[in-house]
Amino acid sequence: MNLNKVSNDKLLEIIGVQTEVAQQGLDLSGIMDLVTQRTQQITNADGASIELIEKTELVYSAASGMAEKFLGLRLHIANSLSGECIQKRVALLSHDIELDDRVNKEACRQIGLNSMIVLPLVFRNDVVGVLKVLSKKANHFDEDSIQVLELMSGLIAAEMFNAMRNEESELFHKATHDSLTGISNRSLFYDRLRQQLAKAMRKQDNFGIITLDMDGLKEINDQLGHRAGDAALQEMAMRIKSSLRESDTVSRLGGDEFGIIAATVVDREDIRSLIHRVDLELSKPFAFEGQAIPLKASMGYALFSEDGIELEVLIEKADKTMYEVKKERKSPGTVR
């Protein structure tokens, strides 16, 4: 790689990113989120993604900008620019997807991109996925952009190694689970939600989405310290998980937010019963280093297909009812 082609300003930006990445520690999903955001900024792109290989598919495991709403999306590796990138182990540039027969045009149009760069992510000598930057404009990227991205892909590959070197679990599992609580993260939540939605459409089944916001985390952190706050989040995750059926999914979506996919609920009474069960479990006493800590949460829900049949609509409905509960409820556990 010819570093002379990379401007000093870009090199300083990349060094800054390296510092930010190092501060993430061993949180691989956090590292990937940060890299996509900074990669988009450095290349003046409209979006960026990290897509990890899962069998014969690539899964959007981190995304920013125009790619963010496709988090969890699965695409076949075959007959795509990403597939060729993985096979050849080199960076590939598509100036105009409409004129490029290597790309999956249908998927590109779905996302809304017209040009892109794809780079292989190599971990322990295996290609485990791709780093991709996207633009709504044709001919947005050039060879200099590739130079910058090669430095970024090398950075994330190194951090993958650091995050995984003491772990026996596979990379995909590490990248799709929250490092603090051990439950699935935002990426896997959307992956499973898309799969559940497709199954429900196909079989005309019902399912529910619950969004949950922990009450009082800031106060716990301010009064008792972040170790107590982390312990409360870990306990909350464990209690939510213990309240669910095996077919359900609970994920930490970020900060004090959690999401639940209730795979087998059939109506509003069923999903309200589940919320009540979770609330009862959370209301049990909890103490950290001798200090009692109340575990409380505001919960909202949406039911497929009564509240909608599109992912974004269902999430918006669940979030809206959750914020209404958070704002207006007078006692824990009220379901609107």
Side-chain angles (χ1 to χ4, degrees):
M1 184 190 312
N2 186 357
L3 295 182
N4 293 328
K5 291 185 178 181
V6 181
S7 71
N8 288 335
D9 288 344
K10 293 296 185 186
L11 286 173
L12 287 173
E13 283 188 80
I14 293 169
I15 291 169
V17 174
Q18 190 168 18
T19 301
E20 289 183 85
V21 165
Q23 293 171 346
Q24 297 289 319
L26 301 182
D27 181 4
L28 184 55
S29 62
I31 290 167
M32 296 196 308
D33 286 339
L34 178 61
V35 167
T36 55
Q37 293 164 15
R38 296 297 179 264
T39 297
Q40 178 187 341
Q41 293 169 359
I42 288 174
T43 58
N44 296 314
D46 292 311
S49 63
I50 291 173
E51 300 157 31
L52 296 181
I53 297 173
E54 173 73 340
K55 299 179 181 177
T56 61
E57 297 175 310
L58 280 168
V59 185
Y60 275 63
S61 300
S64 66
M66 67 185 296
E68 188 170 1
K69 66 179 181 179
F70 296 99
L71 190 66
L73 180 69
R74 288 174 172 257
L75 296 171
H76 287 291
I77 296 172
N79 303 316
S80 69
L81 193 65
S82 296
E84 185 170 335
C85 168
I86 291 166
Q87 182 180 12
K88 294 183 176 179
R89 292 187 171 220
V90 295
L92 297 175
L93 169 59
S94 178
H95 290 291
D96 187 338
I97 67 106
E98 296 298 338
L99 303 177
D100 193 339
D101 291 335
R102 301 172 300 170
V103 307
N104 180 337
K105 288 184 172 59
E106 181 180 350
C108 291
R109 290 167 185 155
Q110 179 186 0
I111 295 167
L113 68 95
N114 279 292
S115 61
M116 63 177 163
I117 299 175
V118 187
L119 294 94
L121 292 175
V122 181
F123 174 68
R124 292 177 179 167
N125 206 37
D126 290 326
V127 180
V128 296
V130 297
L131 172 62
K132 185 186 291 181
V133 289
L134 319 169
S135 176
K136 298 176 184 177
K137 302 175 183 177
N139 302 302
H140 177 76
F141 303 108
D142 55 24
E143 294 298 325
D144 290 348
S145 301
I146 293 179
Q147 300 291 322
V148 171
L149 289 171
E150 284 177 335
L151 289 173
M152 295 294 287
S153 66
L155 170 62
I156 190 172
E159 292 304 323
M160 280 180 174
F161 179 80
N162 289 334
M164 292 294 294
R165 61 186 175 185
N166 296 319
E167 296 286 337
E168 295 297 326
S169 59
E170 61 180 284
L171 178 66
F172 188 79
H173 182 274
K174 180 83 172 180
T176 53
H177 285 74
D178 178 53
S179 60
L180 176 65
T181 62
I183 62 175
S184 60
N185 64 12
R186 185 181 185 87
S187 168
L188 190 55
F189 177 80
Y190 278 93
D191 180 5
R192 290 184 176 172
L193 182 53
R194 290 179 191 279
Q195 293 183 56
Q196 186 69 42
L197 190 62
K199 178 184 174 184
M201 294 280 282
R202 189 172 63 251
K203 296 188 174 182
Q204 297 186 324
D205 286 339
N206 287 345
F207 73 94
I209 300 172
I210 299 170
T211 54
L212 183 153
D213 195 73
M214 181 179 178
D215 297 333
L217 180 60
K218 184 179 185 300
E219 289 75 12
I220 295 171
N221 285 332
D222 290 346
Q223 296 171 19
L224 302 176
H226 284 273
R227 288 179 59 250
D230 287 351
L233 284 167
Q234 290 170 327
E235 183 71 14
M236 178 161 282
M238 184 187 72
R239 293 189 182 192
I240 296 170
K241 187 174 182 178
S242 70
S243 305
L244 304 180
R245 303 177 181 93
E246 189 174 343
S247 58
D248 298 335
T249 296
V250 58
S251 305
R252 186 182 177 203
L253 304 182
D256 56 3
E257 298 178 38
F258 295 80
I260 298 169
I261 303 171
T264 57
V265 300
V266 295
D267 54 30
R268 293 193 184 279
E269 183 178 350
D270 203 8
I271 199 167
R272 285 174 171 170
S273 176
L274 175 57
I275 288 174
H276 183 63
R277 192 162 69 244
V278 171
D279 190 66
L280 284 177
E281 189 65 28
L282 293 179
S283 67
K284 295 177 181 178
F286 171 64
F288 176 73
E289 296 183 346
Q291 178 68 53
I293 298 176
L295 297 181
K296 296 182 292 183
S298 300
M299 288 176 269
Y301 72 89
L303 188 68
F304 177 92
S305 59
E306 189 172 330
D307 292 320
I309 60 172
E310 296 178 352
L311 185 149
E312 292 83 3
V313 172
L314 292 167
I315 290 291
E316 183 178 354
K317 171 69 174 179
D319 282 345
K320 182 180 179 181
T321 56
M322 183 266 289
Y323 285 119
E324 288 174 353
V325 168
K326 195 172 188 69
K327 183 179 178 180
E328 299 174 20
R329 67 186 176 89
K330 297 182 184 298
S331 59
T334 299
V335 179
R336 295 180 61 85

